[in-house]
């Protein structure tokens, strides 16, 4: 007599679970992020996905902050290398735009990236690429070192702001009304530049900001 299909199986008959690894945990976290957003990327949720207890994960990842940083590093691998053709400033802007676009695809991760501290191979590769392009342009080393942080900070903040915009269109409408209705008597500069203050498509503003920052990094000496 054979067992019924829904009969409980002996533990010995179950296939062995794959061994836990940091790479496997991060890959599972990325899959959850893509499907449900960063809020669902928790130790408890990953433990369910991996059929283990949350305590087992802390052997490989110290806390949720480190997990999110590892997820960010994993996705940095999709940014790709710098283009090989064109002026160095344009190629630098293209790399930073690709980084920002990656964060645009994951709004919750963009906000987390403002405080995340990735330290994996993809993050190091990105920093090396940016430093290499600045060096190619003759930017002094001290300015390049500080400049990389400034460029990534702005690109990350832009993506985080974009993610918030989608949930606060009413707030932006209110801001537009306030700017457009500003009195020339009490706020003459705002009244004169009201249209310019809110003009430009997001990609245009990002491009202008990056070019402005790159030019500043070239010409603003870092303190000794």
């Amino acid at each position: 007599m054979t067992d019924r299909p829904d009969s409980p199986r002996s533990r010995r008959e179950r296939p062995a679970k794959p061994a836990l690894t940091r790479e496997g945990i991060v890959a599972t976290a990325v899959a959850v992020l893509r499907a449900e957003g960063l809020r669902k990327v928790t130790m408890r949720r990953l433990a369910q996905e991996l059929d283990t207890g949350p305590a087992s994960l802390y052997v490989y990842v110290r806390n949720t902050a480190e997990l999110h940083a590892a997820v960010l590093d994993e996705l940095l691998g999709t940014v790709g290398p710098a283009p090989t053709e064109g002026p160095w400033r344009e190629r630098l802007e293209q790399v930073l735009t690709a980084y920002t676009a990656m964060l645009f695809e994951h709004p919750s991760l963009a906000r987390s990236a403002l405080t995340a501290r990735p330290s994996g191979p993809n993050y190091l590769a990105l920093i090396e690429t940016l430093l290499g392009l600045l060096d190619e342009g003759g930017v002094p080393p001290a300015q390049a070192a500080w400049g990389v942080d400034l460029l990534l900070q702005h690109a990350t903040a832009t993506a985080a702001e974009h993610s918030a915009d989608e949930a606060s269109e009413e707030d932006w409408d209110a801001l537009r009304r306030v700017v457009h209705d500003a009195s020339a008597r009490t706020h003459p500069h705002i009244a004169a530049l009201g249209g310019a203050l809110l003009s430009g498509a997001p990609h245009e503003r990002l491009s202008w900001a990056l070019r402005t920052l790159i030019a500043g990094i070239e010409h603003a000496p870092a303190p000794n």
Side-chain angles (χ1 to χ4, degrees):
M1 180 176 178
T2 59
D3 291 339
R4 290 163 43 197
D6 57 350
S7 297
R9 298 177 60 187
S10 166
R11 183 177 297 274
R12 294 182 179 179
E13 295 174 353
R14 298 174 185 173
K17 293 186 295 186
L20 282 176
T21 64
R22 180 181 172 89
E23 293 76 14
I25 293 169
V26 173
T28 302
V30 171
V32 172
L33 168 71
R34 293 185 187 279
E36 303 177 45
L38 192 66
R39 291 179 58 188
K40 296 296 185 179
V41 181
T42 64
M43 293 298 197
R44 183 176 298 278
R45 175 60 188 279
L46 295 185
Q48 293 174 350
E49 293 288 330
L50 295 166
D51 192 20
T52 188
S56 300
L57 304 183
Y58 288 103
V59 176
Y60 303 91
V61 184
R62 288 179 300 173
N63 49 45
T64 303
E66 182 178 314
L67 176 63
H68 289 178
V71 168
L72 175 59
D73 186 78
E74 184 72 14
L75 290 173
L76 286 176
T78 66
V79 172
T84 57
E85 302 293 332
W88 70 271
R89 293 181 189 83
E90 291 182 7
R91 288 184 283 134
L92 179 57
E93 181 184 338
Q94 289 170 352
V95 173
L96 291 164
T97 301
Y99 165 78
T100 311
M102 180 274 290
L103 291 179
F104 276 179
E105 296 179 3
H106 306 286
S108 55
L109 183 63
R111 294 189 292 272
S112 176
L114 288 171
T115 56
R117 296 291 182 268
S119 58
N122 292 322
Y123 178 73
L124 293 180
L126 175 61
I127 298 297
E128 181 68 22
T129 295
L130 298 177
L131 289 174
L133 288 167
L134 290 168
D135 180 62
E136 182 181 330
V139 177
Q143 290 163 224
W146 283 23
V148 163
D149 181 63
L150 181 61
L151 290 167
L152 288 178
Q153 186 180 66
H154 179 78
T156 304
T158 298
E161 182 184 34
H162 172 79
S163 71
D165 287 349
E166 297 177 351
S168 59
E169 190 61 31
E170 291 183 0
D171 292 339
W172 272 107
D173 287 340
L175 174 61
R176 294 185 188 101
R177 288 193 298 271
V178 168
V179 170
H180 288 149
D181 295 343
S183 169
R185 182 179 60 84
T186 57
H187 302 88
H189 295 94
I190 294 176
L193 296 173
L197 284 172
L198 301 175
S199 67
H203 72 276
E204 293 173 324
R205 296 182 73 96
L206 174 64
S207 176
W208 181 85
L210 292 176
R211 285 186 280 112
T212 300
L213 288 174
I214 293 169
I217 291 166
E218 283 187 84
H219 299 105
N224 293 328

